[in-house]
Amino acid sequence: MKLLRFGPVGQEAPGLQLAENRRIDARGFGSDWNEEFFANDGLERLAHWAATHAAAAPTLAPETRLGACIARPSKIICIGLNYRDHAAETHAKLPVEPVIFFKSTTALCGPDDPVVIPLGGTKLDWEVELAVVMGRTARHVNESDALAHVAGYCLHNDYSERAFQLEHCGQWVKGKSCDTFAPLGPFLATRDEVPDPQALELWLRVNGVEQQRSNTREMSFGVASLVSYISHFMTLLPGDVISTGTPAGVGLAKDPPQYLQAGDLVELGIDKLGRSQQRVVPHPDMR
Ligand code: ZN
């Protein structure tokens, strides 16, 4: 199944994508795609509901705004320097254990929403990533059991303000957490739709020019390894998001660096997980 959310900002409702051009309103199911949904066998119940109700459910108009494909989770955990080529381009050593950092959950937004240059920001950068959504609570899980705790996968652009991230002391979270820095979707594809999360091509273009293209097989630590590793440091709750790192080709690594400007268009995609696009806009106080 492909789960999505639609409607105005802050009032998103649950939906499903049944085919490339058929998205339906799934409010009839009676629950948002949130922690409680995932924790209470929601995917199984939804599959039953869809089998009998999807055909008659209202179709969404093509221009309907999509929100983040899941409701706000308890946390978004990101992995740093997880692709060999990206570590090399940023002149960082490939970490011997996963580097993890947080991204605020208020950064979440719809897949095609504009990305807002934060107040005082000058170094807005892109990062196409495979995001993992947890389906079950995970504590100290083994790598061999890890994927059974995953609900599915979605496309994420881990937007970063490099000056906030790297020039303000302390942790990367400052440069990762601004509003609109986590467009998630268009949809959450359940695990059965992605039999091998380590065999997905991913790409990103800026103003039509390809900047990133790689494959999730190039990850240093794969999805199962990451879920297991993180679960030894914190409890992963149903609906939590793990963003698994970005391949080479970010703006920071260019010589000279290339950062996004108001008016730029960023487009990205991953095999089986669709595509998204964000137009760069100035902060409302700067317009
Ligand atoms: Zn990232």
Side-chain angles (χ1 to χ4, degrees):
M1 288 184 293
K2 296 183 176 74
L3 285 67
L4 55 83
R5 293 168 71 253
F6 69 95
V9 176
Q11 299 170 45
E12 289 88 350
L16 286 174
Q17 177 154 332
L18 302 183
E20 185 76 30
N21 46 18
R22 175 121 203 271
R23 293 169 170 162
I24 61 159
D25 181 335
R27 274 179 287 196
F29 174 72
S31 162
D32 201 356
W33 316 144
N34 56 20
E35 181 183 335
E36 192 190 359
F37 165 79
F38 291 110
N40 292 289
D41 299 319
L43 287 175
E44 209 174 306
R45 289 186 291 113
L46 178 61
H48 284 293
W49 179 86
T52 46
H53 294 85
T59 298
L60 303 182
E63 66 276 13
T64 305
R65 173 190 174 263
L66 296 182
C69 56
I70 57 164
R72 193 163 60 208
S74 89
K75 49 194 172 293
I76 303 173
I77 302 151
C78 296
I79 311 300
L81 306 170
N82 196 32
Y83 282 76
R84 299 170 187 95
D85 53 356
H86 177 56
E89 74 173 351
T90 54
H91 308 290
K93 262 201 232 150
L94 203 58
V96 293
E97 290 185 45
V99 169
I100 71 178
F101 60 93
F102 278 110
K103 190 173 183 89
S104 74
T105 56
T106 46
L108 278 177
C109 65
D112 300 325
D113 287 351
V115 57
V116 179
I117 298 173
L119 272 183
T122 54
K123 297 182 176 179
L124 179 62
D125 202 351
W126 57 82
E127 295 190 348
V128 59
E129 302 197 2
L130 170 68
V132 177
V133 176
M134 298 302 297
R136 292 164 53 189
T137 299
R139 282 188 197 95
H140 298 280
V141 298
N142 297 323
E143 202 170 316
S144 57
D145 297 330
L147 291 185
H149 292 73
V150 167
Y153 304 94
C154 53
L155 173 64
H156 178 218
N157 193 347
D158 177 22
Y159 276 108
S160 309
E161 213 298 327
R162 299 301 189 191
F164 292 5
Q165 179 189 351
L166 302 169
E167 299 167 20
H168 287 266
C169 296
Q171 300 184 324
W172 292 355
V173 61
K174 290 177 194 172
K176 299 285 190 171
S177 294
C178 306
D179 291 351
T180 73
F181 272 24
L184 202 65
F187 51 76
L188 164 70
T190 48
R191 193 154 42 91
D192 54 296
E193 301 218 357
V194 186
D196 184 359
Q198 307 307 146
L200 305 173
E201 181 113 345
L202 65 174
W203 57 271
L204 180 145
R205 290 197 288 264
V206 178
N207 298 331
V209 178
E210 185 168 288
Q211 300 292 345
Q212 295 187 281
R213 180 172 290 275
S214 187
N215 191 291
T216 54
R217 82 171 73 90
E218 301 300 326
M219 281 183 195
S220 179
F221 301 99
V223 172
S225 163
L226 292 171
V227 169
S228 171
Y229 181 85
I230 297 166
S231 80
H232 286 80
F233 296 95
M234 66 189 81
T235 299
L236 290 165
L237 292 177
D240 280 358
V241 175
I242 301 170
S243 198
T244 56
T246 200
V250 300
L252 168 73
K254 290 175 177 293
D255 186 18
Q258 177 189 339
Y259 296 115
L260 294 166
Q261 309 296 326
D264 286 349
L265 181 68
V266 181
E267 301 165 277
L268 56 152
I270 305 187
D271 286 348
K272 300 180 188 297
L273 302 179
R275 50 195 294 163
S276 68
Q277 62 173 54
Q278 300 90 38
R279 181 73 68 181
V280 182
V281 299
H283 192 278
D285 295 350
M286 298 297 287
R287 283 170 209 165

